[in-house]
Each structure stands twice: as C-alpha cells, then as structure tokens.
Amino acid sequence: MDGHQLDRALSAGRQAVERAKLEGVALLLAQGGGTGTGAQITNRAWRHLLNAGGLGEREDPDTALILARHAETLEWADPYQALRCLGGFEHAALVGSALAAAQLGLAWRAVGTSARIAMLLALRLNPSVRAWLGVTPAMPLSTIRGLIGINGDVT
C-alpha cells in the first residue's frame, strides 16, 4: 500500500478507539480477522520478520517470496515503511488502534496473531506505549461476551 493508504488505515484504527473512548470504554480487546489465506501468509511473514518469541515459525515458500519482494525496505528496519510494504489494512488499523489507545490512556489487549503482530509493530513505532498494551490469551467468544456484557450474537 502507498503512504496515503497506510495513513488512512492507521487513522481508521484511531477513530475506532476515539469512538470507544467517547462511549466510556476502558478496555479494548483487539482482534484481526486473519482467517483468509492472504492474511495467514502475511502473518507468517511478520512472525518471521519480527522474530517474535512465541510467534516464531519456520519460513515457508510463500513467506520467503514476500520477504524477498520487500527485502530492501525491510532491511532498513523502519517499522512505518515495513508496515506500508508488508502490512495491509488489518495490521495497520490494529497498529493505529493500539497507538491511539495508549495516547488516550485506554488499556488495549491483543487477541490473536494479527493483533499480537500489531502490538509489536506499535511498540517499534513508539516504545513508550508499552504500559497500555498487552496480550490476552485466546478466549472463546462466550468468555469475551461475558467480560464485556454482551448477550446474543456477535458478528
């Protein structure tokens, strides 16, 4: 994606957090879709690139192709440019939400691989947000509903 698209995705995450703050939300559970083939391949590339303990995975041919395509940009270790080249709307919006939550003093918890990757990217962009970000173990939907007081179907 180009820089403008990345900025729009980061802004979408920020706007979601701002709306939550206005509604009185104090804890955000962030989760990406990450179920499509493209998202899964991108998540594997991020796990390899970030060398994230607990997310580590051996490189497969699809991951190698993505990393080779963006090798020059990724070697610069600029997390903004890496997100632009390798990201995608989902990761960028999650990063934007994590950064915004910290700036607004809201607790933000990553649920799932895409959100964990976004948290690591947010920390590389701005290490000072660490106090507001964290990881929540995978939880069944019924548990999440109970935590946030939702009854009925959630889509």
Side-chain angles (χ1 to χ4, degrees):
M1 80 179 113
D2 63 29
H4 177 70
Q5 292 168 321
L6 174 57
D7 290 341
R8 287 189 59 183
L10 290 166
S11 181
R14 177 173 189 79
Q15 290 168 7
V17 170
E18 288 171 345
R19 285 191 306 272
K21 172 105 175 165
L22 289 173
E23 292 176 13
V25 172
L27 170 64
L28 297 163
L29 299 177
Q31 181 175 20
T35 57
T37 302
Q40 290 174 2
I41 292 169
T42 304
N43 279 343
R44 287 195 306 265
W46 276 120
R47 288 190 301 251
H48 181 79
L49 180 65
L50 294 169
N51 192 19
L55 291 176
E57 188 171 299
R58 66 184 167 79
E59 189 174 308
D60 60 59
D62 294 324
T63 302
L65 180 64
I66 289 171
L67 294 173
R69 182 180 305 147
H70 302 293
E72 185 175 314
T73 300
L74 299 176
E75 285 177 8
W76 294 337
D78 177 349
Y80 182 84
Q81 290 303 324
L83 186 57
R84 186 185 63 74
C85 289
L86 187 57
F89 189 87
E90 176 178 298
H91 289 109
L94 287 166
V95 169
S97 73
L99 294 171
Q103 290 168 344
L104 295 173
L106 298 175
W108 186 98
R109 299 293 176 262
V111 179
T113 303
S114 292
R116 288 178 72 188
I117 289 166
M119 183 186 72
L120 294 172
L121 288 165
L123 289 169
R124 288 188 180 205
L125 284 165
N126 184 351
S128 70
V129 302
R130 182 174 304 279
W132 289 274
L133 308 183
V135 175
T136 299
M139 291 184 271
L141 186 56
S142 60
T143 302
I144 293 173
R145 284 181 182 150
L147 285 172
I148 58 178
I150 291 180
N151 295 315
D153 292 330
V154 176
T155 58

